[in-house]
Amino acid sequence: MSGATLSLIVAIVGVGGTLASAVITQVLAQRAESQRLEREERVRLAEQRASEDQRKVDQLRDCYVQLNARDRHYRDAMLAYAYALKSGSAEAEATEVSSARRAQRDARAEAQLIASDAVLEIESRVNAQLTIAYRRLMEVAGEPDSSTREARLNQVIDLLDSIISQQGHVRALMRLEVRATEELPDWYNPEIGLPQHQLADH
C-alpha cells in the first residue's frame, strides 16, 4: 500500500471519527434532553394532581364547616326556643328556629353532593334527631296545658342535649377527611345515633 493511499485512509477514518463523534454527542444530548423533559412532565403532573387533590380537600373543608355550623346552630336555636317557651314569650326564638332550619337544610343539600358516604350516613342520624326535636317542639308550642307543656319541653331539651354527642362523632369523621387529624379518636363510634333495634342487629 502506497503512502498516499495510507494517508487517504487515515484521513477518511479521521473525518469519519469526527463525524461519528458529533452524531453520538448529538444523540446523547437529545436523549438527555428527552429524559429531562420527561422528568419535568412527571413533576408537572404530580404537582397538578396534588393541586387538584388540595382543591378537593379545601372544597370538602368548606362544606363540612358550613354543615357542622348549621347543624349546631339549628340545635342551639331549638334549645333556646324550648327554654323560652318554658319562661313565657318566645316569638324571637321561634323566628330564629325557622331561619336556622332553612340554613341547615341548604347546607345539607350542598353536602349531599360533596360529602363522603360515611359522613352523610352518620350526619343523617343527627338530622333525623333534629327533625324529631323540631316536630316535638312545634307540637309543644301549641300545647295549652302548662304542666303538660313543661314535661314535654323537658323531654325535647333532653333530646337536644343528647344530640351533642352525635355531633361530636360527625365532627371527628369530618376532621379526619379534611386531614385535620390523622386518626379517629378512641371514643369514636360509627354506630352512634342508630336506633336501638338496629344496634341489636350488629
Side-chain angles (χ1 to χ4, degrees), residues 14-39:
V15 171
T18 301
L19 292 174
S21 175
V23 169
I24 291 171
T25 300
Q26 185 177 4
V27 168
L28 291 176
Q30 287 176 340
R31 182 179 299 170
E33 178 67 8
S34 177
Q35 290 173 345
R36 183 185 68 79
L37 291 174
E38 286 177 4
R39 281 195 303 272

Side-chain angles (χ1 to χ4, degrees), residues 147-167:
S147 60
T148 302
R149 173 188 278 201
E150 183 84 9
R152 293 182 67 187
L153 279 172
N154 287 334
Q155 291 176 350
V156 172
I157 290 170
D158 288 344
L159 174 58
L160 289 169
D161 285 342
S162 74
I163 293 173
I164 294 175
S165 173
Q166 295 175 26
Q167 289 177 321

Side-chain angles (χ1 to χ4, degrees), residues 10 17 19 41 52 58 63 68 83 90 94 97 111 119 150 156 158 166 199 202:
V10 169
L19 292 174
E41 180 66 9
E52 178 65 16
D58 290 343
C63 171
N68 178 54
Y83 279 112
V97 167
V119 165
E150 183 84 9
V156 172
D158 288 344
Q166 295 175 26
L199 286 173
H202 284 265

Side-chain angles (χ1 to χ4, degrees), residues 14-73:
V15 171
T18 301
L19 292 174
S21 175
V23 169
I24 291 171
T25 300
Q26 185 177 4
V27 168
L28 291 176
Q30 287 176 340
R31 182 179 299 170
E33 178 67 8
S34 177
Q35 290 173 345
R36 183 185 68 79
L37 291 174
E38 286 177 4
R39 281 195 303 272
E40 289 180 356
E41 180 66 9
R42 284 196 298 271
V43 169
R44 187 189 68 79
L45 289 174
E47 289 175 348
Q48 187 177 26
R49 284 192 296 269
S51 176
E52 178 65 16
D53 186 47
Q54 187 59 50
R55 186 192 66 78
K56 288 180 180 178
V57 170
D58 290 343
Q59 182 184 38
L60 194 63
R61 182 183 293 111
D62 291 343
C63 171
Y64 284 173
V65 166
Q66 287 299 313
L67 182 59
N68 178 54
R70 300 305 182 206
D71 275 354
R72 290 181 65 182
H73 181 58

